[in-house]
Amino acid sequence: MRVTVSRKAHFNAAHRLFRKEWTDAKNLEVFGKCSNPNYHGHNYELIVSVTGEIDSDTGFVIDLKTLKNIIKREIEDPFDHKNLNIEVLEFKNLNPTTENIAVVIYNKIKPQLKSSLELEVTLYETARNFVTYSGD
Amino acid sequence: MRVTVSRKAHFNAAHRLFRKEWTDAKNLEVFGKCSNPNYHGHNYELIVSVTGEIDSDTGFVIDLKTLKNIIKREIEDPFDHKNLNIEVLEFKNLNPTTENIAVVIYNKIKPQLKSSLELEVTLYETARNFVTYSGD
Amino acid sequence: MRVTVSRKAHFNAAHRLFRKEWTDAKNLEVFGKCSNPNYHGHNYELIVSVTGEIDSDTGFVIDLKTLKNIIKREIEDPFDHKNLNIEVLEFKNLNPTTENIAVVIYNKIKPQLKSSLELEVTLYETARNFVTYSGD
Amino acid sequence: MRVTVSRKAHFNAAHRLFRKEWTDAKNLEVFGKCSNPNYHGHNYELIVSVTGEIDSDTGFVIDLKTLKNIIKREIEDPFDHKNLNIEVLEFKNLNPTTENIAVVIYNKIKPQLKSSLELEVTLYETARNFVTYSGD
Amino acid sequence: MRVTVSRKAHFNAAHRLFRKEWTDAKNLEVFGKCSNPNYHGHNYELIVSVTGEIDSDTGFVIDLKTLKNIIKREIEDPFDHKNLNIEVLEFKNLNPTTENIAVVIYNKIKPQLKSSLELEVTLYETARNFVTYSGD
Amino acid sequence: MRVTVSRKAHFNAAHRLFRKEWTDAKNLEVFGKCSNPNYHGHNYELIVSVTGEIDSDTGFVIDLKTLKNIIKREIEDPFDHKNLNIEVLEFKNLNPTTENIAVVIYNKIKPQLKSSLELEVTLYETARNFVTYSGD
């Protein structure tokens, strides 16, 4: 019996869409107002979904206190109230699109989980735009 | 790295559940108040989900401005503030159930996307009833 | 101790903005696509708020079962899955704008409540547009 | 054309996380405040998703009135305003974690559906924690 | 310039509607399934709204960290994952209707605020039922 | 008959809580992580509520197209995808707390409305924190 357990979390951050390899004009052309050099920001809403067998002792796939702590340590503490481009190492050379942020979050959480557990990450940049990544 | 990018949209429309091949009595028997000959209506909420590789140049699976424009041209402009049964060609001979509307939306958007991209359409008829179709 | 108790309800209906006294051209000019002669529709979300003293016996301002039944009988049964312009008496000669619908709902519910209770009606036409009326 | 139709429902219940085989101290150690012997409770939000072919006569995968009645009879009537540990037979010897409740709900609904239909159950214990099970 | 600042919080609790002065039969007659002797429960969502002048130094009506701490200490810690009837002193002799819980919350938070600040408490028992109290 | 009509809008912006008159240490002490010199950001959700008489010709308090255009021109165009501290004139010398942003929004919209109309502004900085201002 494989069950998926999901936990919501959130962080508020500034960012801009920007490739160092491109001129400002090229960044503006491709990314429009999302490339504003003074940054803009979002309330990112995150859903972390873990799939695995139900432990017959506890009735849990994963203890949500454990999962909550992983999300806090790996994502909320380093990302919340930060400027993603300047202050989060993973985006020093990676454009912080919602797609790329979701992949980074996946790659930070996956090694914290037992290898038998599958992971899927859904990241809302706004209430209208969101991205899902499951490591494929 | 295959990632799914989703965009929400909405349109408000009138409709009735109705098969031309059936008598009014038969329509009423099967579809109940949803078959009211004077129509009723909904705020349809639409989630369009596109799956593909992240472009290493842009960090996008698909530019959301592009996706937004496709949804506007193919769905919002022809469906919003319309009577689906009377004014939308696809439902002239097709009962506008949520299932059928979702399939029609899929079939209108899919050809607008690069063939390497997969598509899934989720359509909320109300906050309590919704349908998902991914072309299978 | 005056407390306000609120109950959410909903109905799905077709309507068009339309004044009989005006020509079709005038209706179109003022109301735009909302005046589509073939109708469009909405999932109306309704919040009915009743203010009064807490009854010291029951701990209730009003029994929510009572309020639920009033809303069902006065609003949901006559409005749900209906065409407001054609099938709801109150809009035979009254343009069914969200403002006017909210006032009609207020006027139908108020006489069903004990006179010591105050009433406020909030009506969402869409998730983005809503109206509040409290009898002033 | 396989389409998924989803219906939301809800029930309010008390529960505690508790294994009879364990001492109170062990239950407290593993389940923390969720094991409070006096119980706590939740507004459980349930999404029942049914996947199958669209019936060419009705345009439905399943008539939502039918699905609504199944959910009412199998889940809402026996679970709503109940103490899951004491009053719901299935949890007499099964710890009512969200995972286990979702599996129980799946097992109660699945036999009520035609065998050609697939089922997925999503159960929100809170707005932040939820579980999905599809019989695998 | 008087501005209202609102903070959302939540707690999960068991309760039953019950008056000690009444027989079980009378409780059942008045409160129906809400009076189940084995309890049921809810995810209570709380909005605490504080009105006052903007402090010209900080730009705050009240520092939200301060308000968050007051809500945690006065409401979340004593109410969350508890049985309101058994474990919360204020309901030993007071029926825990949503109305009465909102008044208790108001009376616990008000003395923690500077006297120049007004308070309003909104408490959702479910997504469909909620109560507002502002000390009048 | 005075009715309140509300319209939701949104903008995404970067900001930091910061008073020029204070040292960095003092800003950090008072505003904590909200004072991050590299900025953070939010999806601001805005509700603009206009109260007045229903026009007997149109059935409107205010045409929502008019209100939508005012919000776009006065708020969304100058605030969206901007850094409030750097790029929005009103916050050059005013700390962009949610309280102050709500007052600025009020002051920009009020002169665009007929003087007989009352205005209330509700601004969500996050789903959990929001502010209301009505000009008192």
Side-chain angles (χ1 to χ4, degrees):
Chain A
M1 285 191 318
R2 291 182 75 74
V3 171
T4 300
V5 175
S6 296
R7 171 82 192 165
K8 289 194 186 175
H10 51 89
F11 57 91
N12 310 323
H15 82 147
R16 65 179 294 209
L17 299 188
F18 179 68
R19 289 201 67 198
K20 287 181 175 168
E21 301 80 355
W22 290 351
T23 63
D24 281 358
K26 171 79 172 178
N27 272 290
L28 182 64
E29 179 199 325
V30 175
F31 299 123
K33 63 184 179 179
C34 298
S35 193
N36 178 356
N38 293 313
Y39 307 100
H40 64 285
H42 298 288
N43 303 326
Y44 289 94
E45 297 279 340
L46 173 66
I47 303 175
V48 176
S49 300
V50 174
T51 301
E53 300 287 328
I54 299 181
D55 180 291
S56 59
D57 276 357
T58 60
F60 290 155
V61 168
I62 182 172
D63 188 331
L64 279 177
K65 289 191 296 292
T66 305
L67 184 56
K68 193 177 168 182
N69 289 339
I70 291 171
I71 298 170
K72 182 175 189 308
R73 187 182 65 233
E74 297 296 325
I75 310 301
E76 291 179 327
D77 287 348
F79 287 26
D80 188 40
H81 282 75
K82 294 290 165 54
N83 184 308
L84 299 180
N85 302 67
I86 297 175
E87 295 175 293
V88 178
L89 192 65
E90 285 84 356
F91 303 108
K92 279 276 152 72
N93 295 298
L94 180 68
N95 190 6
T97 60
T98 321
E99 288 92 329
N100 282 335
I101 303 173
V103 171
V104 164
I105 290 172
Y106 179 95
N107 288 337
K108 286 175 65 87
I109 293 178
K110 188 70 175 70
Q112 310 297 322
L113 302 174
K114 283 194 300 183
S115 62
S116 58
L117 296 171
E118 291 170 58
L119 173 64
E120 183 174 87
V121 162
T122 298
L123 183 68
Y124 283 76
E125 190 181 74
T126 70
R128 289 151 291 277
N129 301 334
F130 60 98
V131 154
T132 303
Y133 180 62
S134 53
D136 297 333
Chain B
M1 284 194 319
R2 290 182 76 75
V3 171
T4 300
V5 175
S6 296
R7 172 80 190 164
K8 289 193 185 175
H10 50 90
F11 57 91
N12 311 325
H15 83 147
R16 65 178 295 209
L17 299 190
F18 179 68
R19 290 201 66 197
K20 287 181 175 169
E21 300 81 353
W22 290 352
T23 62
D24 281 357
K26 170 82 172 176
N27 272 290
L28 182 64
E29 179 199 325
V30 176
F31 299 124
K33 63 184 179 179
C34 299
S35 193
N36 178 357
N38 293 312
Y39 307 100
H40 64 285
H42 297 290
N43 303 327
Y44 289 95
E45 297 279 340
L46 173 65
I47 303 175
V48 176
S49 300
V50 174
T51 301
E53 301 286 328
I54 300 180
D55 180 290
S56 58
D57 275 358
T58 61
F60 289 155
V61 167
I62 183 173
D63 188 331
L64 279 176
K65 289 191 296 292
T66 305
L67 184 57
K68 192 177 167 180
N69 288 341
I70 291 172
I71 298 171
K72 183 176 188 306
R73 188 183 65 234
E74 297 295 326
I75 309 301
E76 291 179 327
D77 286 348
F79 287 25
D80 188 40
H81 281 75
K82 295 288 166 54
N83 185 309
L84 298 180
N85 302 68
I86 299 174
E87 296 175 293
V88 177
L89 191 65
E90 285 83 357
F91 303 108
K92 279 274 152 73
N93 295 298
L94 180 68
N95 190 5
T97 60
T98 321
E99 289 91 329
N100 282 335
I101 303 172
V103 171
V104 164
I105 290 173
Y106 179 95
N107 288 337
K108 286 176 65 88
I109 294 179
K110 188 71 176 66
Q112 309 296 323
L113 302 173
K114 284 193 301 185
S115 62
S116 60
L117 296 171
E118 291 170 57
L119 173 64
E120 183 175 86
V121 163
T122 298
L123 183 67
Y124 284 75
E125 190 181 73
T126 71
R128 288 150 293 275
N129 301 335
F130 60 98
V131 154
T132 303
Y133 179 61
S134 53
D136 296 334
Chain C
M1 284 195 316
R2 290 182 76 73
V3 170
T4 301
V5 175
S6 297
R7 172 82 191 163
K8 290 193 185 175
H10 50 90
F11 56 92
N12 310 325
H15 83 147
R16 65 178 295 208
L17 300 189
F18 179 68
R19 290 202 66 199
K20 287 181 175 168
E21 301 81 353
W22 290 352
T23 62
D24 281 357
K26 172 80 172 178
N27 272 292
L28 182 64
E29 179 199 328
V30 174
F31 298 125
K33 63 185 178 180
C34 298
S35 194
N36 179 356
N38 293 313
Y39 308 101
H40 64 286
H42 298 289
N43 303 327
Y44 289 94
E45 297 280 339
L46 172 65
I47 303 175
V48 176
S49 301
V50 174
T51 301
E53 301 287 328
I54 299 180
D55 181 290
S56 58
D57 275 358
T58 60
F60 290 155
V61 168
I62 183 171
D63 188 332
L64 279 176
K65 289 190 296 291
T66 306
L67 184 57
K68 192 177 167 181
N69 289 340
I70 291 171
I71 298 171
K72 182 175 188 308
R73 188 183 64 233
E74 298 295 325
I75 310 303
E76 290 178 328
D77 286 349
F79 287 27
D80 188 39
H81 282 73
K82 295 288 166 54
N83 184 310
L84 299 181
N85 301 67
I86 297 175
E87 296 175 293
V88 178
L89 191 66
E90 286 83 357
F91 303 108
K92 278 275 151 74
N93 296 297
L94 181 68
N95 190 5
T97 61
T98 321
E99 289 91 328
N100 282 336
I101 303 172
V103 171
V104 164
I105 290 172
Y106 178 95
N107 289 337
K108 286 175 67 86
I109 293 179
K110 188 69 175 68
Q112 309 297 322
L113 302 174
K114 284 194 299 185
S115 63
S116 59
L117 296 172
E118 292 170 57
L119 174 63
E120 183 174 88
V121 162
T122 298
L123 184 67
Y124 283 76
E125 191 181 74
T126 70
R128 289 150 292 277
N129 301 335
F130 61 99
V131 154
T132 304
Y133 179 61
S134 53
D136 297 333
Chain D
M1 283 193 319
R2 289 183 76 73
V3 171
T4 300
V5 175
S6 297
R7 172 79 190 165
K8 289 193 185 176
H10 50 89
F11 57 91
N12 311 325
H15 83 148
R16 64 177 297 207
L17 299 189
F18 179 68
R19 290 202 68 198
K20 287 180 176 170
E21 300 82 353
W22 290 352
T23 63
D24 281 358
K26 171 80 173 180
N27 272 291
L28 183 64
E29 179 198 325
V30 175
F31 299 125
K33 62 185 180 181
C34 298
S35 193
N36 179 356
N38 293 312
Y39 307 101
H40 64 285
H42 298 289
N43 303 327
Y44 289 94
E45 297 279 339
L46 173 65
I47 304 175
V48 176
S49 300
V50 174
T51 301
E53 300 287 328
I54 300 180
D55 180 289
S56 59
D57 276 358
T58 60
F60 290 155
V61 168
I62 182 173
D63 188 331
L64 279 177
K65 287 192 296 291
T66 305
L67 184 57
K68 192 178 168 180
N69 288 341
I70 291 172
I71 298 171
K72 182 174 187 311
R73 189 183 64 233
E74 298 295 327
I75 310 300
E76 290 179 328
D77 287 347
F79 287 26
D80 188 38
H81 282 73
K82 294 290 167 53
N83 184 310
L84 299 180
N85 301 67
I86 297 174
E87 296 175 293
V88 178
L89 192 66
E90 286 83 356
F91 303 108
K92 279 275 153 75
N93 295 297
L94 181 68
N95 189 7
T97 61
T98 321
E99 288 91 329
N100 282 334
I101 304 172
V103 171
V104 164
I105 290 172
Y106 179 95
N107 287 338
K108 286 174 65 88
I109 294 179
K110 189 68 175 69
Q112 309 297 323
L113 302 174
K114 283 195 300 185
S115 63
S116 60
L117 296 172
E118 292 170 58
L119 174 63
E120 182 174 87
V121 162
T122 298
L123 183 68
Y124 284 75
E125 190 182 75
T126 70
R128 288 150 291 277
N129 301 334
F130 60 99
V131 154
T132 304
Y133 180 61
S134 52
D136 297 333
Chain E
M1 284 194 319
R2 290 182 76 74
V3 171
T4 300
V5 175
S6 296
R7 172 80 190 165
K8 289 194 186 174
H10 51 89
F11 57 92
N12 311 324
H15 83 147
R16 65 178 295 207
L17 299 189
F18 179 68
R19 288 201 68 198
K20 287 181 176 169
E21 300 82 354
W22 291 351
T23 62
D24 280 358
K26 171 81 172 176
N27 271 292
L28 183 64
E29 179 199 326
V30 176
F31 299 124
K33 64 183 179 181
C34 299
S35 194
N36 178 357
N38 293 313
Y39 308 100
H40 64 285
H42 298 290
N43 303 327
Y44 289 94
E45 298 279 339
L46 173 65
I47 303 175
V48 176
S49 300
V50 174
T51 302
E53 300 287 328
I54 300 181
D55 180 291
S56 59
D57 275 359
T58 59
F60 289 155
V61 168
I62 183 173
D63 189 330
L64 278 177
K65 288 191 296 291
T66 305
L67 184 57
K68 192 178 168 181
N69 289 340
I70 291 171
I71 298 170
K72 182 176 189 307
R73 189 183 63 233
E74 297 296 325
I75 309 302
E76 291 178 327
D77 287 348
F79 286 26
D80 188 40
H81 282 74
K82 294 289 166 55
N83 185 308
L84 298 181
N85 301 68
I86 297 175
E87 297 176 293
V88 178
L89 191 65
E90 286 83 358
F91 302 108
K92 278 275 151 76
N93 296 297
L94 181 68
N95 189 5
T97 60
T98 321
E99 289 91 328
N100 282 336
I101 304 173
V103 171
V104 164
I105 290 172
Y106 179 95
N107 288 338
K108 287 175 66 87
I109 293 179
K110 188 70 175 70
Q112 309 296 323
L113 302 174
K114 284 195 299 183
S115 63
S116 59
L117 296 172
E118 291 170 58
L119 174 64
E120 184 174 87
V121 163
T122 298
L123 183 67
Y124 284 74
E125 190 181 75
T126 70
R128 289 150 291 279
N129 300 335
F130 60 99
V131 154
T132 304
Y133 179 61
S134 54
D136 297 336
Chain F
M1 285 195 318
R2 291 182 75 73
V3 171
T4 301
V5 175
S6 297
R7 171 81 190 165
K8 289 194 185 175
H10 50 89
F11 57 91
N12 310 326
H15 84 146
R16 64 179 295 209
L17 299 190
F18 180 68
R19 290 201 68 196
K20 287 181 176 168
E21 300 82 353
W22 290 352
T23 62
D24 280 358
K26 171 80 172 176
N27 272 290
L28 182 63
E29 179 199 326
V30 175
F31 298 124
K33 64 185 179 180
C34 298
S35 195
N36 178 356
N38 293 313
Y39 308 100
H40 63 285
H42 297 290
N43 303 326
Y44 290 95
E45 296 280 339
L46 173 65
I47 304 174
V48 176
S49 300
V50 174
T51 301
E53 300 287 329
I54 300 179
D55 181 291
S56 59
D57 276 359
T58 60
F60 290 154
V61 168
I62 183 172
D63 188 331
L64 279 177
K65 288 192 297 291
T66 306
L67 184 57
K68 192 177 168 181
N69 289 340
I70 291 171
I71 297 171
K72 183 175 188 308
R73 188 182 65 233
E74 298 296 325
I75 310 301
E76 290 178 329
D77 287 348
F79 287 26
D80 187 39
H81 282 74
K82 294 290 165 55
N83 184 309
L84 299 180
N85 302 68
I86 297 175
E87 296 175 293
V88 178
L89 192 65
E90 286 83 357
F91 302 109
K92 278 276 151 73
N93 295 297
L94 181 69
N95 190 5
T97 60
T98 321
E99 289 92 327
N100 282 335
I101 303 173
V103 171
V104 163
I105 290 172
Y106 179 95
N107 288 337
K108 287 175 66 88
I109 294 178
K110 188 69 176 68
Q112 310 296 323
L113 303 174
K114 283 194 300 184
S115 62
S116 59
L117 296 171
E118 291 171 58
L119 173 64
E120 183 175 86
V121 162
T122 298
L123 183 67
Y124 284 75
E125 191 181 75
T126 70
R128 288 151 291 276
N129 300 334
F130 60 98
V131 154
T132 304
Y133 180 61
S134 54
D136 295 335

